[in-house]
Amino acid sequence: MTAPAPCVDIRQSTTVRLRHAPDWLPEKYRRRAGRIRVAVRMCAGERRLLKKSRWIWPSEWAPKYRTVTYGPLKGSRWDHSFMPHFRGIMDASFFPSVRVIGNCKAPQTGSSAGVETILGFVADRKPGPAFVVYPDKDTASKRSTDYLQPMFTDSPRLRGLLTGSADDLAALRIKLKTMLVYMGWAGSVTSLGNISAMYLVGDEIDKWPEQPTKKEARTLDLFFERFRAFLFGAKAWLSSTPTLPTGPISVYLSQAQAVFDYWVRCPDCGRMELMEFDRIRFGAERDPQRVLEEKLARYVCGQCGSEWDDRARNKALQDGRWAARDRERDPKRTPVPVWDEGRELFAWLRRHRPERICFHSPAWISQLVSLSECASRFLAALTDKRAMHYFMTQIKAEGFIDYETVRETDAILALRDERPEGLVPGRGRVAALVAGVDTQDEYFRFVIRAFGWGLDQESWLIRYGSAPTLGALAQVLFGDQYRDADGLYYPLHLAVQDAMGHRTAEVYDFSRAYPGRVQPYKGAAGRRPTPKTWSTIDTYPGTNRVIPGGIKLVTCDSHHYKDQLSARLQIKPGDPGAFHLHGEAGLDYAQMMCAEYRDERGLWQCPKGKANHDWDCEMMALIAADILQIKYWPRPGEAGSPETEGS
């Protein structure tokens, strides 16, 4: 067997001596009679391939090789002083442990241009197939033609990566010597499929449809499937202006292993400062237009109290650094956060090595948005719902809740009358008492409400609270007596009780103990064509044990009844159909009645961490009144009532 050729580093030697005849030598050289000297000259491509390049970070690469192709800096090289905060986002993206990078951003914070620059960097330094997904096809085609393609044709370094073929630059694909870049859009299953990519870019993910079609999985899940095959070195970038607190970018920000905020260095005291909107001051002026036109807003340093105008703010931004958010910080105890070197971006990455990270980029860390514009938008938002929507999503970069659907506790407590708890209104105004019961793991929350006669359905809160056991609940509902001021007794006609959760079997048994007086209830997912449907349950959940006689379960469109409840809360106490509270109703009740909000799809949502038990109980009391059809009961003495028919 021929001995192997000696190992020679041809990068450090211009002469390679072969003392043996390796198999890869042409035959005429292997059968040589004596020493032969052969000169070899490598082509440019071979030299580039064999040359060992020094690793540089994207923030170093961009100013050298990226030409800006649009905006006020068109034709110039990339300049970090324009968007200094994006330097950290670029470099953190290529930390070895990081796989998914999010950016919950305001507009004009450089995200789109920054991610395109990252694509140029990987094409030159770490090539691999890339897949960029936009909200719709028109946006995908426009971004490709007007932004991505010019970056490759106008940047000399990247222009050398084009193959020179006529099909290098197609509408939805860029073909390079090193890699392919595909463009797709979120509304198409076909566009999201059949591509395996090392690099994924999700642009404006809050504007994506939740599902491309009703038969398919979530769009974001289909998106992440595209880089499953790349176990090492793969990256995914998610960027979007937020819409709802339940939108994709807001959810990702809340679930990321680390969230980073941008800290700046005060030009006066030199200490690091976390820029927050609460420190933007504009004096006593409340006219948004005047604040904007006269540039009245200033940022007040939380460390030394110095005031920054836009020029000082821009100077502070240049020396900024990202730091991990302290999610356990209590703003009341620590109103001014203090810089911690251990939370600095790369110190945090090295210590914790997270896979999923997210950056928060509000408008005031961008030089393109003045402090006075931020303040002006806030002042306009105080009196205009649409302006509030803009301020929250486009300035603060936070999800927006329509404040028309969010009730205030003061407005709820204003519905109180002078009755003590437990007293039923008299003078023949009440037709029946009903109850709603919310089942919890440790207790049962209840509301007892009296409904009046007629279609107006005026109602009065009689009692609310918690019962530790079903026996205690039975005492509250059916044992205690509820009377009016004249001593007239009013029995409780029907209680609707939540039967879902860990105590379903107990609720079923409780309803069997009080047939016709306790109705098990289940909330339907989403909107339904009819408000309520009935079904018979024959066995206990999770078992084959038969329920003697079965149980009637009512499944209701909870959104329908919550719409009704929300509308009733808007009625003034003196108007027909008013929704009254007793005089002892407290803040705990009012806060639960304010917990939920209606999102842009018209569905009621409860923010994480907020209790909504009394809100659900009142909704179930409405269901009980609807099941009994109280509004159609004839008042005693009217035609059709039992008293009239008996006479």
Side-chain angles (χ1 to χ4, degrees), residues 529-555:
T530 56
K532 58 181 183 294
T533 57
W534 297 87
S535 58
T536 301
I537 307 299
D538 296 319
T539 59
Y540 288 99
T543 72
N544 293 324
R545 190 158 60 96
V546 176
I547 301 175
I551 288 290
K552 285 288 186 181
L553 178 69
V554 62
T555 302

Side-chain angles (χ1 to χ4, degrees), residues 108 233 278 400 439 444:
Q108 299 299 314
D278 290 345
F400 171 72
T439 304
F444 301 91

Side-chain angles (χ1 to χ4, degrees), residues 599-632:
D599 66 21
E600 63 182 11
R601 300 169 297 167
L603 302 180
W604 288 92
Q605 307 288 345
C606 183
K608 185 178 179 180
K610 284 195 174 185
N612 65 340
H613 311 313
D614 290 346
W615 168 258
D616 282 344
C617 288
E618 291 284 18
M619 180 264 299
M620 286 183 271
L622 283 180
I623 294 173
D626 190 33
I627 291 173
L628 294 174
Q629 294 288 283
I630 296 174
K631 60 186 175 183
Y632 298 122

Side-chain angles (χ1 to χ4, degrees), residues 27-79:
E27 184 176 353
K28 64 178 181 178
Y29 295 136
R30 288 204 306 271
R31 298 182 179 277
R32 64 188 182 277
R35 178 178 294 182
I36 301 176
R37 189 178 186 90
V38 179
V40 177
R41 182 177 179 81
M42 295 184 181
C43 66
E46 290 171 326
R47 289 198 301 272
R48 186 173 63 249
L49 181 64
L50 293 173
K51 180 182 178 181
K52 184 177 181 180
S53 301
R54 180 183 68 87
W55 168 259
I56 61 173
W57 292 97
S59 61
E60 299 176 67
W61 179 90
K64 294 181 178 179
Y65 304 119
R66 159 73 148 116
T67 300
V68 180
T69 56
Y70 56 91
L73 301 181
K74 182 178 180 180
S76 64
R77 291 291 173 88
W78 181 272
D79 186 352

